[in-house]
Amino acid sequence: MATPLASLLDAFADDKSVDVIQAGTLRTTRGTALVLASILPIFYALDAVTDIKWLTDERKFLAAIAAGFIWAIVSAADSLARGLATKATDPAQAAQASSALPTPLKCVQTAGEDNPGWKAVAIRNAQQGSGPEFLVVKGTTTAWVKATDLKFG
């Protein structure tokens, strides 16, 4: 059975999980939290063993606020790193991802003869990598159309 200290060290330095989402947090976030959590106790210890007053009341407050701010920035970076690490890397899979537009956009199909009266309701990446495609609707007719073949307004 692992000791509490060994469990704590494993949590900070020896994460066996290779799945980014299942890993507790990234090591940078863990290390930052450990360093920031140790700042105030270090200053309290310095106050006790030296004649210099390291932490006035104002400095304690500012140190706690700064530590929280720094940790928040690192945590946000951790979240972004997880998102980038787990994004779709297969182009075919990424092409199938589509997002609904919050408000339909009026558009005109410009491929061949101008065809007004369409509304774009969703967007996705093109399968050939040629830019985005929009799902356009006119009455009961729908079609995925390249952005270059549409004029909005």
Side-chain angles (χ1 to χ4, degrees):
M1 176 173 236
T3 65
L5 180 59
S7 296
L8 184 63
L9 290 175
D10 283 348
F12 278 98
D14 195 29
D15 194 350
K16 301 285 190 233
S17 176
V18 294
D19 187 355
V20 175
I21 296 301
Q22 290 179 357
T25 54
L26 296 178
R27 287 190 179 125
T28 304
T29 303
R30 293 176 186 162
T32 304
L34 184 64
V35 168
L36 295 175
S38 66
I39 286 176
L40 288 176
I42 288 171
F43 282 126
Y44 276 112
L46 288 172
D47 279 349
V49 297
T50 65
D51 293 336
I52 301 171
K53 182 77 171 154
W54 288 90
L55 283 181
T56 61
D57 289 337
E58 297 83 20
R59 286 184 186 165
K60 289 177 192 173
F61 177 73
L62 288 176
I65 295 295
F69 179 75
I70 291 168
W71 190 78
I73 296 295
V74 171
S75 295
D78 177 27
S79 297
L80 290 173
R82 285 172 190 244
L84 290 174
T86 58
K87 70 178 183 177
T89 54
D90 180 18
Q93 183 183 17
Q96 298 305 317
S98 62
S99 299
L101 299 175
T103 305
L105 302 173
K106 292 181 182 178
C107 59
V108 175
Q109 283 197 37
T110 59
E113 190 175 313
D114 283 0
N115 188 356
W118 292 87
K119 290 186 179 181
V121 295
I123 188 171
R124 73 176 180 187
N125 289 326
Q127 292 183 356
Q128 296 82 13
S130 61
E133 292 180 335
F134 287 90
L135 177 61
V136 293
V137 177
K138 184 177 184 180
T140 58
T141 307
T142 61
W144 284 101
V145 180
K146 292 180 184 178
T148 56
D149 294 337
L150 292 173
K151 182 172 68 172
F152 294 93

